[in-house]
Amino acid sequence: MRQTITAAALASVLLFSCGDAGNKGGEATMSKAQTEAQQFIDNYTGKYVQLYTSVSEAQWRANTEIKTGDTTNTVAARMADEAMAEFTGSKENIEAARKWMEVKDQLTDIQVRQLEQILYAAANNPQTVADLVKARIKAENDQVQQLYGYQYMLGSKKVSTNDLDAILKKETNVQQRLAAWNASKEVGKTLKNGLANLRTYRNQTVQALGYKDFFSYQVSEYGMSSEEMMQTMDRLMQELYPLYRELHTWMRYELAAKYHAPVPEYLPAHWLPNRWGQDWSSAVEVKGINLDSVLGSKSAEWVVREGEKLYTSIGFPALPASFWQKSSLYPYPADSTVKKNNHASAWHIDLNHDVRSLMSVEPNAEWYETANHELGHIYYYLTYTNKDVPPLLRKGANRAYHEAIGTMMGLAAMQRPYLAGHGLIPADTKTDETQALLKEALNSVVFIFFCSGTMSNFEKELYMDNLPADRWNARWWELAKKYQGMVPPATRSEDYCDAATKTHINDDPAQYYDYALSYVLLYQLHNHIANNILKEDPRATNYYGQTAIGDFLKQITYPGASKDWRTVLKESTGEELNAKAMLAYFQPLVSWLQEQNVGRKYTLPEQLQ
């Protein structure tokens, strides 16, 4: 899961005050410009850490102490956010940072990187347009309340999104599936006007500091233009397209047989086991591994402790005692009057060593994988919290790296040799490896085309191209058909806003390419580990006890954002970003799918157009 834990305005900026970390050679070796610029950076950081810690603590309480009718924690969190926004977007900080950027050729590279972060943070909250920033913050809060406060109805029955998701995963009656899918989209009607306002506010806010639009602003943190990012998305999809085309053909025929219906040209959205068609994996059940039954005899704490053992076995330190004391790792009792956010997340409270995780761990396979994933974020935080990383650069090499590391470790902990080595399955367990690989591809490969294709293109057109609101729904489905091979059950009018039913478009906007990049990165990193360190099949590895893996991961995580992310990837793997490792990982599946699809009609074009 994303490690973001504060308001969207703060999500990209991770700063912490740390003496002379930005001046490794000491002031005596610095020029006058460098010395004065460092004084500004240090003063900024000193104030920032105080505010950031306040925000983190307030947000932590707001997420872990939710009481019906009591808005105390929510109000405190909003006030902390507003104080941070006033500081990061202040005219004084903007003017000072701009002044030093005008003479950046006289500064060190590391100072320039820090100044860029200061201006990036300011662009989301520029107090030069304070009224506009306040209007945007209010509109964002209203939109989130509208989304999460919506009461879904299935006929005359009140239902939750979990209820609707369960129907789409398990129900074989197509009409009942259709009713659930339609019910899941009704909320979009209530969100359209709010999204239109947010598009205006978000664009105008960042334009005040010189960005062309909000999408370009978000992409800029990668050191890329929007055009470069979209070209990267296209290239990754082109590399994976032959596999996706086989998966799409296989899925059409399999679902038609399951629902006793004619084979469709394109996948009807309500046939798929996910509201947005982004994950088809629950359509496949892999026999041979029943991890839930084994973990059911363990405790929830055992699950997290076992995750820690994986990291310490490869050379990372034990978690700080404060992690166990301050985290909220397990579910509250069912009758508890206090509730919490059950969405798993990792928190870097003070950007020093106060690291926490918010989970609701239970002893089952899903939480076993999730716990390993979340600890990946925690160990990333701890590793780049070091004397060599300037305070303003204590963050992932890019936003996707955090997800890539966490997801890779979750994947590694679920592979058969690792499970067998831990006694969680018998060493001689027989599984259908092809079905296991198919299930994985129906998650990760399918997700890439939703991320890179439908979501990224829609948000690019929303913010960059100012896509007219009376074209939103039609365009959403044009993109879904092109990239996912998916169509709606019937024509969808512009009264709906099906794109806005995806939470990220409302509250984590113009960043969905992060997920696509993270999946590509994780397979590049995992394949490198398997092939060059373990000398094992990437589909059957055991990371446990391999300190060389820890050394490899520290090489990536230690610098934080003090190095360009492309340099980090090149130095660690010897490669540029590409989907070849992902395609190689799934290559055995390609041959199997081609055999299954003999004589079947392919409806996606031979080349992605």
Side-chain angles (χ1 to χ4, degrees):
M1 307 292 178
R2 271 193 193 278
Q3 75 280 6
T4 307
I5 50 83
T6 58
L10 309 177
S12 300
V13 191
L14 304 178
L15 315 176
F16 181 69
S17 181
C18 183
D20 66 349
N23 173 20
K24 298 176 185 176
E27 290 192 11
T29 63
M30 299 177 76
S31 69
K32 184 173 184 295
Q34 290 168 358
T35 299
E36 293 179 356
Q38 193 62 43
Q39 288 174 348
F40 164 68
I41 292 170
D42 288 344
N43 289 337
Y44 176 97
T45 317
K47 180 64 174 176
Y48 185 89
V49 68
Q50 175 188 352
L51 292 169
Y52 185 90
T53 304
S54 296
V55 167
S56 298
E57 291 284 11
Q59 289 286 351
W60 179 261
R61 288 191 295 274
N63 278 269
T64 58
E65 300 174 14
I66 302 172
K67 303 175 183 177
T68 302
D70 186 345
T71 61
T72 303
N73 288 334
T74 301
V75 171
R78 189 186 73 240
M79 292 176 64
D81 287 345
E82 289 176 354
M84 176 63 86
E86 289 179 7
F87 174 72
T88 57
S90 72
K91 295 178 182 178
E92 294 79 9
N93 283 330
I94 292 172
E95 290 172 357
R98 280 177 164 172
K99 179 190 77 172
W100 290 116
M101 285 299 288
E102 289 174 0
V103 294
K104 64 180 182 180
D105 58 326
Q106 300 178 36
L107 307 179
T108 65
D109 290 343
I110 214 77
Q111 287 177 324
V112 171
R113 282 184 176 273
Q114 294 172 87
L115 291 168
E116 288 173 343
Q117 288 300 320
I118 292 172
L119 287 173
Y120 184 83
N124 209 37
N125 302 293
Q127 296 304 294
T128 50
V129 288
D131 290 343
L132 182 61
V133 172
K134 288 182 178 179
R136 191 208 74 226
I137 291 173
K138 182 179 185 304
E140 287 175 337
N141 288 330
D142 290 346
Q143 188 80 343
V144 170
Q145 183 177 14
Q146 191 77 17
L147 174 61
Y148 290 112
Y150 183 79
Q151 178 58 64
Y152 293 85
M153 301 292 297
L154 188 56
S156 59
K157 181 183 178 182
K158 294 180 179 180
V159 293
S160 68
T161 53
N162 284 345
D163 295 328
L164 298 174
D165 289 341
I167 292 172
L168 293 176
K169 286 181 180 179
K170 299 175 182 177
E171 182 58 60
T172 57
N173 183 295
V174 174
Q175 291 307 310
Q176 292 184 29
R177 296 184 63 83
L178 177 60
W181 187 89
N182 281 332
S184 77
K185 301 303 176 187
E186 287 295 315
V187 65
K189 294 178 179 178
T190 73
L191 299 169
K192 187 170 184 177
N193 289 338
L195 182 59
N197 289 334
L198 283 173
R199 190 250 302 270
T200 300
Y201 291 144
R202 286 166 175 163
N203 273 345
Q204 291 180 353
T205 298
V206 299
Q207 285 166 351
L209 252 66
Y211 290 92
K212 292 186 295 184
D213 57 82
F214 188 73
F215 190 86
S216 299
Y217 163 71
Q218 293 283 36
V219 169
S220 70
E221 197 173 19
Y222 282 82
M224 300 168 73
S225 67
S226 295
E227 291 75 16
E228 289 171 330
M229 179 60 77
M230 296 312 295
Q231 288 169 5
T232 300
M233 293 297 101
D234 288 343
R235 175 169 57 82
L236 297 177
M237 286 189 291
Q238 291 286 0
E239 291 173 0
L240 290 168
Y241 186 72
L243 172 54
Y244 187 81
R245 188 167 179 256
E246 296 292 340
L247 289 169
H248 181 267
T249 302
W250 181 87
M251 196 68 168
R252 285 171 38 241
Y253 280 82
E254 290 298 312
L255 291 183
K258 181 178 181 179
Y259 301 137
H260 306 290
V263 180
E265 293 287 298
Y266 293 89
L267 286 164
H270 66 299
W271 281 24
L272 294 167
N274 174 273
R275 281 178 274 161
W276 305 279
Q278 70 180 55
D279 179 2
W280 307 346
S281 61
S282 62
V284 173
E285 181 179 345
V286 181
K287 297 180 180 179
I289 296 181
N290 188 352
L291 205 54
D292 285 339
S293 65
V294 177
L295 292 173
S297 64
K298 309 291 186 181
S299 69
E301 181 178 352
W302 182 93
V303 172
V304 186
R305 295 281 184 182
E306 195 69 9
E308 180 189 29
K309 286 181 182 177
L310 168 57
Y311 289 89
T312 57
S313 81
I314 62 175
F316 286 98
L319 291 167
S322 61
F323 171 84
W324 300 102
Q325 296 162 359
K326 296 181 177 182
S327 291
S328 179
L329 298 173
Y330 315 113
Y332 291 165
D335 60 353
S336 173
T337 58
V338 180
K339 307 297 182 184
K340 69 173 179 177
N341 184 344
N342 289 315
H343 185 81
S345 55
W347 300 55
H348 202 176
I349 295 291
D350 60 355
L351 299 163
N352 194 13
H353 289 93
D354 186 349
V355 292
R356 307 177 196 174
S357 184
L358 172 56
M359 295 190 281
S360 293
V361 178
E362 295 181 338
N364 59 43
E366 182 177 358
W367 276 111
Y368 174 81
E369 183 172 5
T370 298
N372 280 279
H373 174 113
E374 295 305 328
L375 291 183
H377 292 307
I378 296 295
Y379 276 104
Y380 206 156
Y381 296 149
L382 292 172
T383 307
Y384 58 58
T385 299
N386 64 69
K387 63 182 177 59
D388 295 322
V389 177
L392 277 65
L393 301 176
R394 290 188 175 174
K395 53 195 296 187
N398 64 31
R399 292 192 302 258
Y401 268 74
H402 251 291
E403 285 301 310
I405 297 293
T407 306
M408 183 185 73
M409 296 301 288
L411 178 150
M414 294 295 285
Q415 292 203 325
R416 188 167 56 82
Y418 180 87
L419 295 173
H422 279 63
L424 294 175
I425 61 173
D428 60 352
T429 295
K430 302 296 183 184
T431 61
D432 189 328
E433 300 296 341
T434 300
Q435 289 297 297
L437 204 56
L438 174 63
K439 188 177 182 71
E440 192 175 339
L442 291 175
N443 174 282
S444 56
V445 177
V446 165
F447 190 44
I448 291 284
F449 284 77
F450 176 70
C451 298
S452 303
T454 305
M455 281 290 286
S456 293
N457 278 278
F458 182 83
E459 291 198 284
K460 177 261 184 187
E461 293 181 20
L462 182 69
Y463 293 105
M464 284 188 66
D465 305 336
N466 207 32
L467 181 68
D470 63 3
R471 282 273 301 140
W472 284 1
N473 225 35
R475 187 56 181 154
W476 174 259
W477 287 106
E478 287 170 4
L479 293 169
K481 182 178 182 180
K482 175 180 179 179
Y483 292 108
Q484 296 174 262
M486 180 180 74
V487 293
T491 302
R492 306 283 292 171
S493 75
E494 293 299 332
D495 292 336
Y496 293 94
C497 188
D498 293 330
T501 66
K502 187 64 182 173
T503 179
H504 302 73
I505 284 181
N506 302 286
D507 59 8
D508 197 9
Q511 299 182 57
Y512 216 76
Y513 43 82
D514 289 359
Y515 291 103
L517 292 171
S518 75
Y519 268 81
V520 171
L521 281 168
L522 90 84
Y523 282 101
Q524 278 193 268
L525 299 178
H526 174 70
N527 278 24
H528 180 86
I529 288 171
N531 294 327
N532 297 287
I533 297 177
L534 298 177
K535 312 294 184 183
E536 294 175 352
D537 182 343
R539 292 160 288 273
T541 63
N542 186 353
Y543 280 23
Y544 195 84
Q546 299 291 335
T547 57
I549 296 176
D551 293 340
F552 172 74
L553 293 178
K554 289 172 189 174
Q555 179 185 355
I556 295 168
T557 57
Y558 187 91
S562 64
K563 285 185 177 181
D564 184 273
W565 66 270
R566 287 156 289 210
T567 301
V568 172
L569 182 62
K570 183 73 172 178
E571 288 180 351
S572 59
T573 67
E575 297 180 344
E576 309 290 343
L577 181 77
N578 66 78
K580 293 176 183 176
M582 195 171 184
L583 193 57
Y585 185 92
F586 290 109
Q587 189 55 47
L589 181 63
V590 175
S591 301
W592 182 86
L593 284 168
Q594 288 172 340
E595 292 176 5
Q596 299 299 306
N597 290 332
V598 169
R600 291 175 172 177
K601 179 182 178 182
Y602 292 77
T603 53
L604 291 183
E606 290 189 13
Q607 298 292 328
L608 183 61
Q609 300 166 349

